[in-house]
PDB file of all heavy atoms in Angstrom:
ATOM      1  N   VAL A 248       1.953   3.038  -1.920  1.00  0.00           N
ATOM      2  CA  VAL A 248       0.583   2.999  -2.338  1.00  0.00           C
ATOM      3  C   VAL A 248      -0.195   4.082  -1.624  1.00  0.00           C
ATOM      4  O   VAL A 248      -0.169   4.130  -0.396  1.00  0.00           O
ATOM      5  CB  VAL A 248      -0.071   1.611  -2.034  1.00  0.00           C
ATOM      6  CG1 VAL A 248      -1.482   1.529  -2.582  1.00  0.00           C
ATOM      7  CG2 VAL A 248       0.782   0.493  -2.687  1.00  0.00           C
ATOM      8  N   THR A 249      -0.750   4.980  -2.412  1.00  0.00           N
ATOM      9  CA  THR A 249      -1.657   5.990  -1.817  1.00  0.00           C
ATOM     10  C   THR A 249      -3.030   5.910  -2.476  1.00  0.00           C
ATOM     11  O   THR A 249      -3.229   5.430  -3.605  1.00  0.00           O
ATOM     12  CB  THR A 249      -1.071   7.387  -2.096  1.00  0.00           C
ATOM     13  OG1 THR A 249      -0.936   7.650  -3.482  1.00  0.00           O
ATOM     14  CG2 THR A 249       0.277   7.614  -1.380  1.00  0.00           C
ATOM     15  N   ASN A 250      -4.058   6.330  -1.706  1.00  0.00           N
ATOM     16  CA  ASN A 250      -5.405   6.399  -2.274  1.00  0.00           C
ATOM     17  C   ASN A 250      -6.115   7.637  -1.789  1.00  0.00           C
ATOM     18  O   ASN A 250      -5.605   8.341  -0.963  1.00  0.00           O
ATOM     19  CB  ASN A 250      -6.212   5.151  -1.935  1.00  0.00           C
ATOM     20  CG  ASN A 250      -6.614   5.007  -0.466  1.00  0.00           C
ATOM     21  OD1 ASN A 250      -6.915   6.017   0.185  1.00  0.00           O
ATOM     22  ND2 ASN A 250      -6.635   3.749   0.015  1.00  0.00           N
ATOM     23  N   ASP A 251      -7.254   7.845  -2.374  1.00  0.00           N
ATOM     24  CA  ASP A 251      -8.032   9.113  -2.078  1.00  0.00           C
ATOM     25  C   ASP A 251      -9.197   8.851  -1.156  1.00  0.00           C
ATOM     26  O   ASP A 251     -10.088   9.729  -1.012  1.00  0.00           O
ATOM     27  CB  ASP A 251      -8.486   9.751  -3.388  1.00  0.00           C
ATOM     28  CG  ASP A 251      -9.376   8.862  -4.160  1.00  0.00           C
ATOM     29  OD1 ASP A 251      -9.664   7.690  -3.773  1.00  0.00           O
ATOM     30  OD2 ASP A 251      -9.904   9.336  -5.211  1.00  0.00           O
ATOM     31  N   GLY A 252      -9.271   7.638  -0.524  1.00  0.00           N
ATOM     32  CA  GLY A 252     -10.398   7.284   0.286  1.00  0.00           C
ATOM     33  C   GLY A 252     -10.292   7.771   1.772  1.00  0.00           C
ATOM     34  O   GLY A 252      -9.223   8.023   2.237  1.00  0.00           O
ATOM     35  N   GLN A 253     -11.436   7.890   2.421  1.00  0.00           N
ATOM     36  CA  GLN A 253     -11.503   8.182   3.769  1.00  0.00           C
ATOM     37  C   GLN A 253     -11.563   6.788   4.537  1.00  0.00           C
ATOM     38  O   GLN A 253     -12.261   5.890   4.170  1.00  0.00           O
ATOM     39  CB  GLN A 253     -12.774   8.928   4.094  1.00  0.00           C
ATOM     40  CG  GLN A 253     -12.817  10.259   3.405  1.00  0.00           C
ATOM     41  CD  GLN A 253     -11.739  11.222   3.855  1.00  0.00           C
ATOM     42  OE1 GLN A 253     -11.536  11.357   5.050  1.00  0.00           O
ATOM     43  NE2 GLN A 253     -11.132  11.841   2.974  1.00  0.00           N
ATOM     44  N   THR A 254     -10.729   6.700   5.555  1.00  0.00           N
ATOM     45  CA  THR A 254     -10.624   5.480   6.320  1.00  0.00           C
ATOM     46  C   THR A 254     -11.884   5.290   7.179  1.00  0.00           C
ATOM     47  O   THR A 254     -12.339   6.295   7.777  1.00  0.00           O
ATOM     48  CB  THR A 254      -9.394   5.500   7.260  1.00  0.00           C
ATOM     49  OG1 THR A 254      -8.234   5.686   6.464  1.00  0.00           O
ATOM     50  CG2 THR A 254      -9.268   4.223   8.024  1.00  0.00           C
ATOM     51  N   ARG A 255     -12.402   4.161   7.207  1.00  0.00           N
ATOM     52  CA  ARG A 255     -13.624   3.847   8.024  1.00  0.00           C
ATOM     53  C   ARG A 255     -13.264   3.783   9.459  1.00  0.00           C
ATOM     54  O   ARG A 255     -12.232   3.246   9.850  1.00  0.00           O
ATOM     55  CB  ARG A 255     -14.268   2.536   7.561  1.00  0.00           C
ATOM     56  CG  ARG A 255     -14.825   2.553   6.294  1.00  0.00           C
ATOM     57  CD  ARG A 255     -15.528   1.256   5.997  1.00  0.00           C
ATOM     58  NE  ARG A 255     -15.634   1.033   4.520  1.00  0.00           N
ATOM     59  CZ  ARG A 255     -15.860  -0.110   3.944  1.00  0.00           C
ATOM     60  NH1 ARG A 255     -15.867  -1.208   4.713  1.00  0.00           N
ATOM     61  NH2 ARG A 255     -15.941  -0.206   2.682  1.00  0.00           N
ATOM     62  N   THR A 256     -14.121   4.302  10.311  1.00  0.00           N
ATOM     63  CA  THR A 256     -13.946   4.115  11.794  1.00  0.00           C
ATOM     64  C   THR A 256     -15.300   3.739  12.335  1.00  0.00           C
ATOM     65  O   THR A 256     -16.302   3.755  11.732  1.00  0.00           O
ATOM     66  CB  THR A 256     -13.507   5.514  12.432  1.00  0.00           C
ATOM     67  OG1 THR A 256     -14.597   6.498  12.132  1.00  0.00           O
ATOM     68  CG2 THR A 256     -12.144   5.971  11.873  1.00  0.00           C
ATOM     69  N   GLY A 257     -15.258   3.334  13.630  1.00  0.00           N
ATOM     70  CA  GLY A 257     -16.455   2.975  14.333  1.00  0.00           C
ATOM     71  C   GLY A 257     -16.758   1.482  14.186  1.00  0.00           C
ATOM     72  O   GLY A 257     -15.943   0.710  13.815  1.00  0.00           O
ATOM     73  N   PRO A 258     -18.005   1.076  14.457  1.00  0.00           N
ATOM     74  CA  PRO A 258     -18.398  -0.322  14.569  1.00  0.00           C
ATOM     75  C   PRO A 258     -18.233  -1.046  13.211  1.00  0.00           C
ATOM     76  O   PRO A 258     -18.013  -2.255  13.220  1.00  0.00           O
ATOM     77  CB  PRO A 258     -19.828  -0.319  14.979  1.00  0.00           C
ATOM     78  CG  PRO A 258     -20.227   1.072  15.200  1.00  0.00           C
ATOM     79  CD  PRO A 258     -19.062   1.986  14.882  1.00  0.00           C
ATOM     80  N   ALA A 259     -18.312  -0.334  12.088  1.00  0.00           N
ATOM     81  CA  ALA A 259     -18.176  -1.040  10.806  1.00  0.00           C
ATOM     82  C   ALA A 259     -16.719  -1.460  10.478  1.00  0.00           C
ATOM     83  O   ALA A 259     -16.498  -2.353   9.748  1.00  0.00           O
ATOM     84  CB  ALA A 259     -18.715  -0.169   9.632  1.00  0.00           C
ATOM     85  N   ALA A 260     -15.757  -0.802  11.184  1.00  0.00           N
ATOM     86  CA  ALA A 260     -14.354  -1.156  11.001  1.00  0.00           C
ATOM     87  C   ALA A 260     -14.063  -2.481  11.676  1.00  0.00           C
ATOM     88  O   ALA A 260     -14.411  -2.657  12.828  1.00  0.00           O
ATOM     89  CB  ALA A 260     -13.480  -0.020  11.477  1.00  0.00           C
ATOM     90  N   VAL A 261     -13.385  -3.383  11.009  1.00  0.00           N
ATOM     91  CA  VAL A 261     -13.005  -4.622  11.574  1.00  0.00           C
ATOM     92  C   VAL A 261     -11.532  -4.584  11.945  1.00  0.00           C
ATOM     93  O   VAL A 261     -10.664  -4.363  11.109  1.00  0.00           O
ATOM     94  CB  VAL A 261     -13.224  -5.790  10.564  1.00  0.00           C
ATOM     95  CG1 VAL A 261     -12.779  -7.101  11.158  1.00  0.00           C
ATOM     96  CG2 VAL A 261     -14.687  -5.815  10.136  1.00  0.00           C
ATOM     97  N   PRO A 262     -11.241  -4.730  13.296  1.00  0.00           N
ATOM     98  CA  PRO A 262      -9.834  -4.663  13.647  1.00  0.00           C
ATOM     99  C   PRO A 262      -9.078  -5.843  13.151  1.00  0.00           C
ATOM    100  O   PRO A 262      -9.645  -6.932  13.021  1.00  0.00           O
ATOM    101  CB  PRO A 262      -9.901  -4.630  15.174  1.00  0.00           C
ATOM    102  CG  PRO A 262     -11.203  -5.215  15.525  1.00  0.00           C
ATOM    103  CD  PRO A 262     -12.123  -4.927  14.364  1.00  0.00           C
ATOM    104  N   GLY A 263      -7.859  -5.673  12.930  1.00  0.00           N
ATOM    105  CA  GLY A 263      -7.068  -6.844  12.368  1.00  0.00           C
ATOM    106  C   GLY A 263      -5.566  -6.560  12.613  1.00  0.00           C
ATOM    107  O   GLY A 263      -5.227  -5.738  13.456  1.00  0.00           O
TER     108      GLY A 263
END
Side-chain angles (χ1 to χ4, degrees):
V248 180
T249 58
N250 71 35
D251 61 357
Q253 299 295 314
T254 303
R255 293 183 200 160
T256 58
V261 178

